[in-house]
Amino acid sequence: MSAASSPFDWKIRVYYEDTDTSGVVFYANYLKFFERARTEWLRSFGFQQQQLAETTGAIFVVKGTSVDYLSPARLDDELKLTVVVEKLRNASIEFVQEAWRLPSGNGAAGNNQEATLLARGRITVVCVDAASFRPQQIPAELLSRIKTAPGLPRQDAP
């Protein structure tokens, strides 16, 4: 499937615990931010990770990641995280995610008037059986909702 035209957005604030001693977000924390955004993206379809595991035996595990870091986020910055489905298959999803610093006079970055792209990641998740950790199909109802959501991919993957 091709990339979506309209990403899912989730906002967070950078807290002290997210930063290193210089007040800059520690690089690995972007993966945590992206994980939270994907969880909220899933929740926007009416699904919760625990509920999926309990009712279908399906859980999602990260198979691979790559992140390009473009500009630092700092303590008190407000970030917008985006989630776009790049490829949707029967048992896996490839996401493109971005972290943007939003304009504000409150963060350490000063009085920005434009959003700044901070990091872009590509994350592949695989649906697996919670007991065996063997790949399984994404539950049909969830797969259907993803396929019919506004701004998400419409064509079948090869």
Side-chain angles (χ1 to χ4, degrees):
M1 295 188 172
S2 59
S5 58
S6 176
F8 172 83
D9 296 342
W10 185 255
K11 292 181 184 172
I12 63 165
R13 175 87 49 198
V14 174
Y15 294 108
Y16 186 77
E17 68 187 24
D18 301 320
T19 64
D20 58 21
T21 57
S22 64
V24 172
V25 170
F26 181 65
Y27 75 95
N29 285 336
Y30 286 94
L31 291 173
K32 291 180 181 182
F33 298 162
F34 290 159
E35 174 78 24
R36 291 175 196 163
R38 288 193 312 277
T39 297
E40 295 304 328
W41 168 82
L42 186 64
R43 204 181 295 269
S44 76
F45 294 114
F47 292 90
Q48 295 178 25
Q49 303 265 6
Q50 188 64 36
Q51 170 226 5
L52 272 175
E54 291 171 359
T55 60
T56 68
I59 61 172
F60 289 97
V61 296
V62 173
K63 179 182 182 229
T65 64
S66 68
V67 181
D68 292 321
Y69 302 96
L70 307 169
S71 188
R74 299 178 188 277
L75 181 63
D76 291 329
D77 283 345
E78 184 178 19
L79 307 183
K80 176 179 78 171
L81 306 169
T82 63
V83 178
V84 171
V85 173
E86 180 81 357
K87 292 180 184 172
L88 177 62
R89 295 190 174 94
N90 287 333
S92 67
I93 307 171
E94 187 174 310
F95 296 96
V96 173
Q97 293 189 254
E98 294 178 337
W100 293 80
R101 179 180 28 253
L102 295 176
S104 133
N106 296 332
N111 287 324
N112 296 359
Q113 294 306 313
E114 295 182 18
T116 303
L117 179 59
L118 305 174
R120 178 179 293 121
R122 183 173 301 277
I123 294 90
T124 302
V125 299
V126 177
C127 185
V128 299
D129 177 79
S132 69
F133 273 77
R134 292 189 175 267
Q136 73 171 49
Q137 287 193 342
I138 296 169
E141 186 179 355
L142 175 58
L143 193 59
S144 174
R145 291 218 190 143
I146 293 170
K147 286 180 177 180
T148 60
L152 291 173
R154 297 274 186 253
Q155 302 171 352
D156 289 329

